[in-house]
Amino acid sequence: MARLMLIIFIGLTFSGLLLPGTALAGSIFKCIKDDKVVFSQTSCPKEFSQHQIEYDLGITTEIDSDKPQSFFDPLSALLDMKTISKEKLLQLIRGELYRLKQENSYFDILRASETQKIERKRYWQKKEKDAPEFLKELKEMNLYFNELISDNQNSIELLQQRKALIEAEVEPE
C-alpha cells in the first residue's frame, strides 16, 4: 500500500499536479523582461512577463498568460441570441447543417465498407448469402447506421426549422 502511494505521489509530482508553477507536458513558459528572454518549464518570476508556449499535435501556440483569458462558449452563444448577431447565428446554423450532412455521407461510406467487410467474412467462412448469422449481422449493422443517420436527420430538420424562424423574424430598429 505504501509503495502504491509513493508511486502515485511521484507520478503526480512529475506530471505537475502537485507542484504549483510547473508546466503541463508539451508546454513551456517564455519569460520576458526588457530585452531578456528566458524559456522555462516552471512559471516565470513576478518581475517577468509570461507567455505560455504549448505544443500539441504538431501545432505550437503562444498565449500571453499575463492577460486574463476570456472563454467563449459557442453553444451558450447559440442559445443566447442576444450575444451574437442574426447573421452570425445563421452562419453557425448553416455550418452545423453542412457538418451533419457530411456526417451522414460519411456514415453511408462506413456502411458500404462494413457491408464489404461482412461480405468478405461470409465468403471466407464459406457460408451462403442466406445464412442466418450473415443476415443477422448485416441487419444489426444496417440498424446501427440507420439510427445514426436518422438522429442526424432529425437534428437537420430541427435546425432548418430554427433557421427558417430566424430568417423570417424582423430585427428591431
Side-chain angles (χ1 to χ4, degrees):
M1 181 71 171
R3 176 182 272 172
L4 178 64
M5 295 299 277
L6 180 62
I7 291 171
I8 291 173
F9 177 76
I10 291 172
L12 291 175
T13 302
F14 286 118
S15 69
L17 294 176
L18 290 181
L19 295 177
T22 57
L24 298 173
S27 117
I28 296 175
F29 293 100
K30 179 180 175 183
C31 307
I32 305 166
K33 182 179 180 184
D34 301 327
D35 60 343
K36 184 178 178 182
V37 177
V38 178
F39 294 94
S40 172
Q41 290 183 331
T42 60
S43 295
C44 301
K46 297 244 186 253
E47 61 270 5
F48 286 82
S49 67
Q50 175 175 297
H51 290 235
Q52 186 173 355
I53 301 172
E54 294 179 350
Y55 179 79
D56 189 29
L57 300 174
I59 299 172
T60 305
T61 54
E62 184 173 335
I63 303 162
D64 186 358
S65 41
D66 286 339
K67 296 179 182 174
Q69 296 179 5
S70 62
F71 178 71
F72 175 73
D73 183 19
L75 180 59
S76 61
L78 273 174
L79 295 174
D80 184 16
M81 288 183 52
K82 296 175 186 139
T83 60
I84 57 176
S85 68
K86 180 178 173 179
E87 293 79 28
K88 180 68 175 170
L89 183 60
L90 287 172
Q91 178 188 7
L92 290 170
I93 290 174
R94 281 192 294 269
E96 183 64 10
L97 284 169
Y98 178 78
R99 187 193 70 76
L100 288 169
K101 289 175 184 175
Q102 288 295 105
E103 195 172 77
N104 278 350
S105 297
Y106 180 66
F107 288 150
D108 286 335
I109 293 168
L110 284 176
R111 181 197 311 254
S113 174
E114 285 296 313
T115 302
Q116 287 177 343
K117 183 175 152 186
I118 293 170
E119 208 34 69
R120 280 192 298 274
K121 181 179 163 187
R122 180 202 59 80
Y123 175 81
W124 288 110
Q125 290 177 350
K126 297 180 177 155
K127 294 183 179 176
E128 296 297 318
K129 286 192 176 195
D130 59 350
E133 305 89 29
F134 169 71
L135 294 175
K136 181 183 177 211
E137 195 172 356
L138 203 56
K139 182 181 178 183
E140 286 174 358
M141 184 268 309
N142 280 322
L143 282 173
Y144 174 75
F145 283 108
N146 287 343
E147 225 175 89
L148 290 174
I149 290 172
S150 174
D151 288 345
N152 276 357
Q153 200 57 41
N154 291 337
S155 297
I156 287 171
E157 289 170 9
L158 288 172
L159 283 170
Q160 285 175 336
Q161 290 172 3
R162 183 69 176 153
K163 181 181 165 199
L165 280 173
I166 293 170
E167 289 174 335
E169 90 182 12
V170 179
E171 282 192 26
E173 293 180 25

